[in-house]
Amino acid sequence: MLISLSHIQRLYRSDEVETTALLDIELGIEAGEFVAIMGPSGCGKSTLLNILGTIDRPTGGSYSFGGQELTELGEAALAAFRRENLGYVFQSFNLIDELTIEENIELALIYRRMPKAERRRRVAHAMDHVGIAHRARHYPSQLSGGQQQRAAIARAIVGEPRLILADEPTGNLDTENGAQVMDILQRLNDEGATIVMVTHSPSHADLAKRRVDMLDGQVVISVRNAI
Amino acid sequence: MFATILKSVLRQMRRHPLYVGLNMFGLALGVGVFLTLTLLVRYEYSFNAALPDVDRLVRVDTHWTMPGTPPGEVAGSTFRALPFLREDFPEIEAGTRFENTELQTEQDGVFSSFVSGLTDPAFFSVFGLKLLHGAPDQALAQPDGLVLSDHAAIRLFGTTEVMGRTVRLNRNGVTVTHTVTGVLARRTTPDLFSGIEMMAPFSSEDMTTRFCFLSWGSDCGRIYLKFRRAGDIDAVSARLRDFVMRHAAGADSDSHALGTHPEKIFGLLLAKLGEARFRDFHVLYAEDGVDRTVINSIGLMGLLALALACANAVNLATARAGLRAREVAIRKTLGASRRTLLVQFMGEAVLVAFIAGVLGLALCELLVPEVASLTGEALVVRYGLVGVVLPLIILVCGFACGIYPSLILSGYRPAAVLAAARMPSGGRGAARLRDALVTGQFGIAITIVICMLVINHQTVFMRTADPGYVRSGLLIGSAMPGHDLAAQRKMLDALRAVPGVITAGFGELAPRPDTKNLGTYSYDRPAGPVSVYLLQDVVSVSYFEVYRPRLLAGRWFDAAHGQDDLPPRDEAPTRKANVVLNAGAVSRFGFAAPDQAIGKIIKSGGMTARIIGVIDDMRFESPRQAIYPEIIFFNTLANQPFNDPIPAVRFQGIVEADMVRRLNRAWAGILPDASSDFSAVDARMSAYYSGDERRGRIFTLGAAAALLIACLGLYGLAAFAAARRVHEIGIRKTLGATGRQIVALLLGDFLRPVALSCVLACPVAWVVMRRWLAGFDERITLTPAHFLIAVAGAFAIAILTVLGQTFHLARAEPARALRAE
Ligand SMILES: Nc1ncnc2c1ncn2[C@@H]1O[C@H](COP(=O)(O)OP(=O)(O)OP(=O)(O)O)[C@@H](O)[C@H]1O
Ligand SMILES: [Mg+2]
C-alpha cells in the first residue's frame, strides 16, 4: 500500500462557524493506481487532494506514504517530501505570471540539487511530452487555457514524481483538449506513476482504474473499473 | 466628477488603510519637513536683507598679512580710519563706529547683562532702523543717551513707554546714569543688530585714550559706511591700498602707525552687508557668519525629504495601480473612456496630495517653534512663502503620483488584464521603476545617515577633545578692569582664601578671550632668521596649577628664579625675560622638537627672551580656528600690575554652583562695582560650538525624518510585494520550497537594490564629509566604522521589514495561500 489514510478529518474554524470539509476518510491507494475522485461541489474533494499533497494538514487522523507517517513531519521535511515525490496539477493552473512557461516548469526542479543542464533536458522533455515546446518562451497570459493546463501538467511530471495529484485537470477545457490531457495522464500511469485525479466528468472518471465517490466529507463508494 | 473622486479615495482608504495611510503620512512628513527647512533656509538667506538701503552699506574689514601666520580677514578695523575715510572719499554718505560689548545695569546691587553696542550719533543715519519712540537723529546725540530694544525695555521696566527713564550702567567699573532716548522697533527679518538690546554712545574718555581709536594697529569694533551709490563701493575698494599708504605710514618710533610700509601687512576691505551672512563664515571674529554649505545642505535635506516622500507615493501608487487593473479593465469593458479614467486617477492622486499637504502644513506649524528653539533663531511660519510653495508641492506631487498609474491604467487593454491569471503588478517596467526608486531612496537615506554620524561624532569630539589643559574643576572670571597692583594682589589673595579653592592665578588670556595682544618675534636660525607673529600672554604664580597645561620640555616659571619675572616696561629698551612657548610657536620657529628650543633666544624690538619651557597648545578659541603660536611671560606681581587680568581658580570638593557663588562674593569684597561672572570653560566656549551643534541638531532632525520616510516607503513596498506574492509563494511551496528558501528569495529581491544603494551612497558621503571636516582645525578622521554602521543599519532595517512582512507567509499552509486571490 503506497498511501493509506485513516480517520482523516478536516475542520475549518472561522470565528463562530465551523465547517467540516472532511469527516472521516478511510482510503488506501496502491502504487501504480489511477484513482478518479468524484462527488458534488463542496463535498471535500479539493481538501482531500490538498491533504494528500501535504499542502494542507488534517485536523485529525493519520496519513502514511510508503510506510512513513506524514502527519508527524515538520515543515522542512514536508517540503522535502513534496519536492521528491509529488506532482500537482491545479484546477486553476496556478502558473506564475512573471515567469515564462519554461521557467514555470523548471520551478519544480529548482529546489532540488540538480545541474542546470540536467534541468534543461528534463524541462524540454516534459514540454515535448505534453506538446507545448513551441510556447516555451511565452508567458502564461499569452497561452490558451488548454495550453496553460498542459504546461501545468508538464510542471507536475517534470520531476518524475511517484504520485501525481490532479484537481479537475480537464474542468476548464473543451472536449478535445480534455481528451488530450486524459491521454497524457493515462500514458504517465502506464509508465508507472500513481495518479489521483478529481473530476466531474463521468467519462473521464471511467478512464481511471478506480473510482471513488465522495459525499459530505466522506467516501461513499469505491469501485474498480473493469478494463 | 469631484464626488466620484472623493468617493473613490474614501473607498481606497477603507479597503487599503495601510497603503493609503503610509502614503499620506509619508507625504505629510515630507511636506512638513520640507516647509520647515525651507523656512529656515529662507531665514538665513534673508539675513540683513531688510536693512534699509542694504546694497549701499558696507563694513570695513582689515586684512592682516603677518609673518608666521596665514593672512586673514578680520571683521573690524581700527576706529582711527573713519575720519580719514570720510575726508578722502566723498562717495561715502555717512559712517559710524560700532563696538559690540556687554553693558551691565545695576539695580540695588544686582547686575544684569545686556548684549549691547557702543556707537556714534551717526548710527541712525547709516542704518535707517525704525524707532518705536524717539528721534533717530537725537537718540544718540547726548553722551548719556541710551537706546533700548523693545525686549530690553520690557525686561527693565515692563513696558516700552520708557522715554526719559534713567538706567544705571556699569561701565569699566564705574557706575554712570543714562537716560533712555530711543526704543527700537521690533524687526521681523534678521539682521546684524537683531541681538542688540542696548546702544549707548562712546564715552569721550574712550575716544581719547583707547588704543583702537588712536592706533592703526589696534581694533576693537567695526566701522560701517553708507555709500551714496552702490556702484561706488568697488571703486573705493580699489583705492584703499593708497589710502593705507597715505595715512597708516609712520616712523618706526610712532607706536600709532604701522611703519614705513603699512600696506605690506595691513589692508582694508569693504564687506557688503547684504552678503555678509555667508561671507563672514570665513572672516575672523565675525560672530554672525554661517557656513553657506551647511545652510544649503539643510535646504537640500528638506528637498530630499520631500523627494523621498514623493518617491514613496509614486512607488506605492504604481504598485497599487496593479491591484486596480482588474477593476479598470472591467470598467473599460463596461464603457468608461480613457479620458474619464485619466481624470479620475489624476484627481485621486491630487486629492491625496492635497490632504497630505494640509497635514504637512500642520506639522510645519508644530515643527517651526521647535526648530526656532533648536537654532536660537526667531523663525516663524511665513504664509507668503508657504502660500506659494504648498500649492506647487501639492500639484507637482499629485501629478507625479498620478501620472504613472493613470497612463498605465487608462492605457491597459482590458483583454490582456482579464486574461492574466493573477493580479498584475504593473508589468516589468513598473517593477524596474520601483527598484530604481528604492535604490535612490536608500542611497539618499544612507548618505544622510553617514553624514549625520560623522557630524555628531565631530560635534562630540570637539566638546570632549583635550584642550591642552584640565577643564573640570576650573572656573574663570571676568577681566579685572585696570592696572591697580594692590587690588590685583588683594584679589588673588581673596580668591585663594575661599574655602574649596585649591589655588588661583591670573592670565591676560583665558578661554574665549575678548582682546588679544600679538607681536612679531624673530629667531636667528643657523639657516637664516625667521619671524613669527606670536600671541602674547602674561601669567601669574600658580597659573600652572590652575590650568594644568602639559609641559613638553624644559621647565615652567618659578617665582624663586628672579630671571623668570618679566621686567617692568620702563626698563626698556633692553628688557630680558624668560619665556615659555607653546608647541605651535616652537614648530613655526623651525625647531624639530620641543627640547631643541630650550635655552634659545628670540627677540622682539628691545626685548630679548630666553625659552625656558615648551607646553602643549592650549585651545582657548574656536575648534574651527588654528591655535595661535603663543609666547607666555611671567609676572609675580612683585613690581608691576597686569593689564586687565583674568582670574582663574582651581577648586575641589564643592558643587560648581556653590563655588561660583562664593567666588563672586569674594570678588565683590574687592571690586563691588564690577561683575565677576565666574563660569566654567565649557560655558565660556559654548559660543564656539553652539552654532555647529545647533545646525548639527537640525541636520539630525532632517536626517531622522528622511530616514523615517525612506523606511515607510520600504515598509509599504515590502507589504505590497508580500501581498502580491502570496499566491506565488503558495505555488513555490507546493513545488517543494522550504520556508527558509522562500524568505531568502524575498530577501534577495529586496536587498539587491539596498546593496546597490550602499555602493552608491558611500563614496558620495565620503566626499561630502571630507570637505566638511576640512573646515575644522581639530577634527576626527573618517573611519570605515561610520560607513559600516550606516550600511549595517540599512540592511538591518530592510531585513526586518521584509521578515516582518513575509515570515508568516513563508510559514503558512500553501493551500491557504493558493486560495487567497
Ligand atoms: N479555507 C476554508 N475555510 C472554510 N471553509 C472551507 C475552506 N476551504 C474549504 N472550505 C469548505 O470545505 C468544504 C469542501 O471544500 P472543497 O474545496 O474541498 O470542495 P470541492 O469538493 O473541491 O468542491 P468543488 O467541486 O466545487 O471544487 C466546502 O464546504 C468549503 O466551503
Ligand atoms: Mg474543488
Side-chain angles (χ1 to χ4, degrees), chain B residues 409-595:
Chain B
L409 286 182
S410 63
Y412 266 135
R413 278 165 301 117
V417 176
L418 293 175
R422 298 286 156 188
M423 82 193 192
S425 57
R428 297 191 165 224
R432 220 164 289 145
L433 174 71
R434 284 198 300 270
D435 269 3
L437 285 174
V438 168
T439 308
Q441 278 192 322
F442 256 66
I444 291 169
I446 293 167
T447 309
I448 291 174
V449 169
I450 295 172
C451 293
M452 189 182 76
L453 287 174
V454 172
I455 289 173
N456 283 341
H457 188 177
Q458 168 70 14
T459 312
V460 170
F461 172 78
M462 285 192 303
R463 274 280 190 191
T464 52
D466 179 9
Y469 50 94
V470 180
R471 271 184 296 203
S472 62
L474 182 62
L475 285 172
I476 293 150
S478 308
M480 268 180 83
H483 307 82
D484 185 339
L485 183 58
Q488 291 179 6
R489 284 183 188 148
K490 267 201 288 187
M491 179 66 80
L492 275 192
D493 289 342
L495 293 177
R496 283 176 187 150
V498 173
V501 168
I502 300 172
T503 185
F506 281 144
E508 288 186 1
L509 291 175
R512 193 142 201 246
D514 283 336
T515 50
K516 285 185 292 198
N517 247 319
L518 293 114
T520 306
Y521 290 77
S522 55
Y523 168 58
D524 280 323
R525 268 192 312 188
V530 55
S531 293
V532 181
Y533 196 47
L534 293 179
L535 179 65
Q536 308 173 108
D537 193 6
V538 185
V539 304
S540 75
V541 175
S542 301
Y543 180 92
F544 193 79
E545 287 72 33
V546 173
Y547 279 92
R548 300 195 180 154
R550 255 194 313 279
L551 194 64
L552 299 180
R555 63 174 180 86
W556 185 254
F557 299 115
D558 186 347
H561 283 70
Q563 292 274 307
D564 286 359
D565 201 5
L566 177 69
R569 204 169 260 287
D570 39 330
E571 277 177 27
T574 53
R575 286 212 287 174
K576 279 205 178 96
N578 284 348
V579 296
V580 171
L581 297 189
N582 72 356
V586 166
S587 69
R588 299 283 168 91
F589 279 119
F591 296 110
D595 53 347

Side-chain angles (χ1 to χ4, degrees), chain A residues 13-206:
Chain A
R13 245 175 241 111
S14 58
D15 298 329
E16 264 105 77
V17 220
E18 195 179 89
T19 319
T20 311
L22 297 177
L23 188 58
D24 182 26
I25 300 283
E26 292 286 337
L27 186 64
I29 297 170
E30 300 282 1
E33 268 199 285
F34 186 166
V35 180
I37 298 177
M38 294 196 72
S41 183
C43 71
K45 305 179 296 291
S46 295
T47 307
L48 177 60
L49 219 58
N50 284 347
I51 285 173
L52 283 173
T54 71
I55 60 176
D56 196 3
R57 280 178 189 270
T59 42
S62 79
Y63 170 17
S64 82
F65 184 98
Q68 189 183 20
E69 183 56 48
L70 293 183
T71 42
E72 286 160 10
L73 291 186
E75 257 310 296
L78 283 182
F81 166 76
R82 291 196 287 268
R83 201 153 61 212
E84 302 300 332
N85 299 299
L86 286 188
Y88 216 115
V89 183
F90 299 96
Q91 185 174 359
S92 50
F93 318 145
N94 277 336
L95 298 169
I96 295 175
D97 283 334
E98 283 81 7
L99 304 179
T100 61
I101 294 304
E102 197 176 26
E103 288 164 343
N104 262 293
I105 297 171
E106 194 181 359
L107 211 56
L109 302 176
I110 218 126
Y111 298 110
R112 304 187 183 186
R113 291 222 171 80
M114 189 180 285
K116 180 93 181 161
E118 169 70 5
R119 286 206 303 261
R120 287 271 129 146
R121 197 189 58 72
R122 287 217 201 179
V123 168
H125 182 252
M127 285 192 299
D128 273 345
H129 205 122
V130 299
I132 46 149
H134 57 299
R135 290 280 186 259
R137 300 275 148 83
H138 287 72
Y139 288 94
S141 59
Q142 296 165 330
L143 264 55
S144 78
Q147 288 167 330
Q148 290 189 45
Q149 187 64 296
R150 274 181 278 157
I153 293 175
R155 187 177 65 186
I157 62 171
V158 70
E160 294 170 7
R162 294 165 73 186
L163 175 65
I164 294 172
L165 300 167
D167 194 351
E168 296 185 46
T170 56
N172 284 327
L173 305 179
D174 62 27
T175 330
E176 178 149 348
N177 274 308
Q180 277 183 22
V181 165
M182 285 312 296
D183 223 37
I184 294 169
L185 288 177
Q186 276 186 304
R187 210 162 59 225
L188 288 167
N189 182 239
D190 291 342
E191 288 165 16
T194 310
I195 297 178
V196 180
M197 172 184 79
V198 172
T199 182
H200 284 298
S201 155
S203 62
H204 289 163
D206 287 343

Side-chain angles (χ1 to χ4, degrees), chain B residues 232-550:
Chain B
D232 289 336
I233 296 175
D234 292 333
V236 170
S237 277
R239 284 152 60 199
L240 284 175
R241 194 179 137 91
D242 288 338
F243 172 85
V244 166
M245 289 160 74
R246 266 200 310 280
H247 298 288
D252 281 341
S253 59
D254 180 356
S255 64
H256 290 328
L258 293 170
T260 46
H261 284 290
E263 76 282 1
K264 286 192 178 151
I265 53 166
F266 177 87
L268 290 176
L269 304 169
L270 301 181
K272 294 176 186 157
L273 287 190
E275 300 158 9
R277 183 63 154 178
F278 298 125
R279 191 174 181 278
D280 279 3
F281 183 67
H282 304 285
V283 176
L284 280 176
Y285 308 119
E287 48 289 289
D288 283 333
V290 178
D291 191 350
R292 185 198 290 261
T293 348
V294 170
I295 296 305
N296 288 349
S297 313
I298 288 176
L300 184 67
M301 186 109 62
L303 213 57
L304 287 179
L306 184 65
L308 286 179
C310 267
N312 271 352
V314 172
N315 240 346
L316 282 174
T318 57
R320 270 187 330 122
L323 293 179
R324 297 179 67 182
R326 220 165 255 275
E327 170 204 331
V328 171
I330 293 165
R331 273 175 195 271
K332 287 177 101 172
T333 316
L334 296 178
S337 78
R338 176 164 189 179
R339 235 197 52 156
T340 336
L341 288 171
L342 212 111
V343 170
Q344 158 103 27
F345 285 112
M346 236 12 168
E348 285 182 31
V350 172
L351 181 61
V352 169
F354 175 78
I355 299 172
V358 172
L359 291 177
L361 181 60
L363 186 67
C364 169
E365 283 277 5
L366 291 178
L367 276 177
V368 159
E370 293 301 314
V371 170
S373 72
L374 274 183
T375 53
E377 311 283 13
L379 197 62
V380 286
V381 180
R382 295 188 161 267
Y383 276 89
L385 181 71
V386 170
V388 175
V389 173
L390 191 59
L392 215 68
I393 297 176
I394 291 174
L395 282 180
V396 170
C397 231
F399 196 74
C401 298
I403 188 81
Y404 188 89
S406 23
L407 282 183
I408 292 298
L409 286 182
S410 63
Y412 266 135
R413 278 165 301 117
V417 176
L418 293 175
R422 298 286 156 188
M423 82 193 192
S425 57
R428 297 191 165 224
R432 220 164 289 145
L433 174 71
R434 284 198 300 270
D435 269 3
L437 285 174
V438 168
T439 308
Q441 278 192 322
F442 256 66
I444 291 169
I446 293 167
T447 309
I448 291 174
V449 169
I450 295 172
C451 293
M452 189 182 76
L453 287 174
V454 172
I455 289 173
N456 283 341
H457 188 177
Q458 168 70 14
T459 312
V460 170
F461 172 78
M462 285 192 303
R463 274 280 190 191
T464 52
D466 179 9
Y469 50 94
V470 180
R471 271 184 296 203
S472 62
L474 182 62
L475 285 172
I476 293 150
S478 308
M480 268 180 83
H483 307 82
D484 185 339
L485 183 58
Q488 291 179 6
R489 284 183 188 148
K490 267 201 288 187
M491 179 66 80
L492 275 192
D493 289 342
L495 293 177
R496 283 176 187 150
V498 173
V501 168
I502 300 172
T503 185
F506 281 144
E508 288 186 1
L509 291 175
R512 193 142 201 246
D514 283 336
T515 50
K516 285 185 292 198
N517 247 319
L518 293 114
T520 306
Y521 290 77
S522 55
Y523 168 58
D524 280 323
R525 268 192 312 188
V530 55
S531 293
V532 181
Y533 196 47
L534 293 179
L535 179 65
Q536 308 173 108
D537 193 6
V538 185
V539 304
S540 75
V541 175
S542 301
Y543 180 92
F544 193 79
E545 287 72 33
V546 173
Y547 279 92
R548 300 195 180 154
R550 255 194 313 279

Side-chain angles (χ1 to χ4, degrees), chain B residues 27-368:
Chain B
L27 207 51
L29 191 61
V31 170
V33 169
F34 173 77
L35 284 180
T36 309
L37 297 187
T38 303
L39 284 168
L40 181 66
V41 170
R42 198 204 96 110
Y43 175 91
E44 296 291 358
Y45 270 90
S46 69
F47 196 82
N48 280 353
L51 284 176
D53 303 318
V54 67
D55 57 323
R56 296 199 276 139
L57 298 176
V58 298
R59 184 185 65 212
V60 182
D61 279 0
T62 311
H63 190 270
W64 289 103
T65 318
M66 293 310 250
T69 323
E73 180 177 343
V74 176
S77 54
T78 171
F79 288 158
R80 177 82 191 266
L82 182 59
F84 296 115
L85 285 167
R86 299 293 320 267
E87 213 172 281
D88 286 20
F89 302 110
E91 293 90 335
I92 298 171
E93 184 182 301
T96 185
R97 299 170 290 196
F98 193 93
E99 180 183 2
N100 287 295
T101 183
E102 213 165 73
L103 286 175
Q104 269 135 13
T105 60
E106 199 249 78
Q107 276 172 318
D108 312 322
V110 178
F111 296 101
S112 337
S113 289
F114 288 83
V115 179
S116 309
L118 300 178
T119 186
D120 290 319
F123 180 86
F124 286 104
S125 53
V126 176
F127 297 103
L129 299 183
K130 293 230 159 34
L131 287 174
L132 203 58
H133 302 291
D137 51 336
Q138 291 303 308
L140 293 165
Q142 298 305 315
D144 68 342
L146 185 69
V147 174
L148 300 179
S149 72
D150 59 339
H151 270 291
I154 289 171
R155 200 175 133 193
L156 277 170
F157 300 108
T159 165
T160 56
E161 305 296 322
V162 294
M163 290 294 285
R165 306 272 288 256
T166 57
V167 177
R168 281 157 58 78
L169 288 184
N170 184 286
R171 291 180 74 172
N172 301 326
V174 184
T175 304
V176 281
T177 303
H178 280 256
T179 307
V180 177
T181 45
V183 178
L184 281 170
R186 183 174 304 181
R187 305 182 299 287
T188 47
T189 9
D191 57 51
L192 72 161
F193 300 116
S194 292
I196 296 285
E197 302 178 286
M198 268 186 192
M199 279 194 278
F202 287 112
S203 73
S204 55
E205 188 202 335
D206 275 355
M207 289 192 267
T208 49
T209 60
R210 285 179 63 188
F211 248 54
C212 53
F213 285 84
L214 306 172
S215 163
W216 282 93
S218 168
D219 79 71
C220 57
R222 287 97 195 252
I223 293 175
Y224 295 106
L225 301 176
K226 182 182 207 167
F227 279 76
R228 291 184 203 284
R229 296 188 313 118
D232 289 336
I233 296 175
D234 292 333
V236 170
S237 277
R239 284 152 60 199
L240 284 175
R241 194 179 137 91
D242 288 338
F243 172 85
V244 166
M245 289 160 74
R246 266 200 310 280
H247 298 288
D252 281 341
S253 59
D254 180 356
S255 64
H256 290 328
L258 293 170
T260 46
H261 284 290
E263 76 282 1
K264 286 192 178 151
I265 53 166
F266 177 87
L268 290 176
L269 304 169
L270 301 181
K272 294 176 186 157
L273 287 190
E275 300 158 9
R277 183 63 154 178
F278 298 125
R279 191 174 181 278
D280 279 3
F281 183 67
H282 304 285
V283 176
L284 280 176
Y285 308 119
E287 48 289 289
D288 283 333
V290 178
D291 191 350
R292 185 198 290 261
T293 348
V294 170
I295 296 305
N296 288 349
S297 313
I298 288 176
L300 184 67
M301 186 109 62
L303 213 57
L304 287 179
L306 184 65
L308 286 179
C310 267
N312 271 352
V314 172
N315 240 346
L316 282 174
T318 57
R320 270 187 330 122
L323 293 179
R324 297 179 67 182
R326 220 165 255 275
E327 170 204 331
V328 171
I330 293 165
R331 273 175 195 271
K332 287 177 101 172
T333 316
L334 296 178
S337 78
R338 176 164 189 179
R339 235 197 52 156
T340 336
L341 288 171
L342 212 111
V343 170
Q344 158 103 27
F345 285 112
M346 236 12 168
E348 285 182 31
V350 172
L351 181 61
V352 169
F354 175 78
I355 299 172
V358 172
L359 291 177
L361 181 60
L363 186 67
C364 169
E365 283 277 5
L366 291 178
L367 276 177
V368 159

Side-chain angles (χ1 to χ4, degrees), chain B residues 614-628:
Chain B
V614 177
I615 57 165
D616 212 350
D617 289 348
M618 291 164 74
R619 182 168 292 283
F620 282 177
E621 291 185 90
S622 168
R624 286 183 176 276
Q625 225 170 296
I627 296 179
Y628 275 91

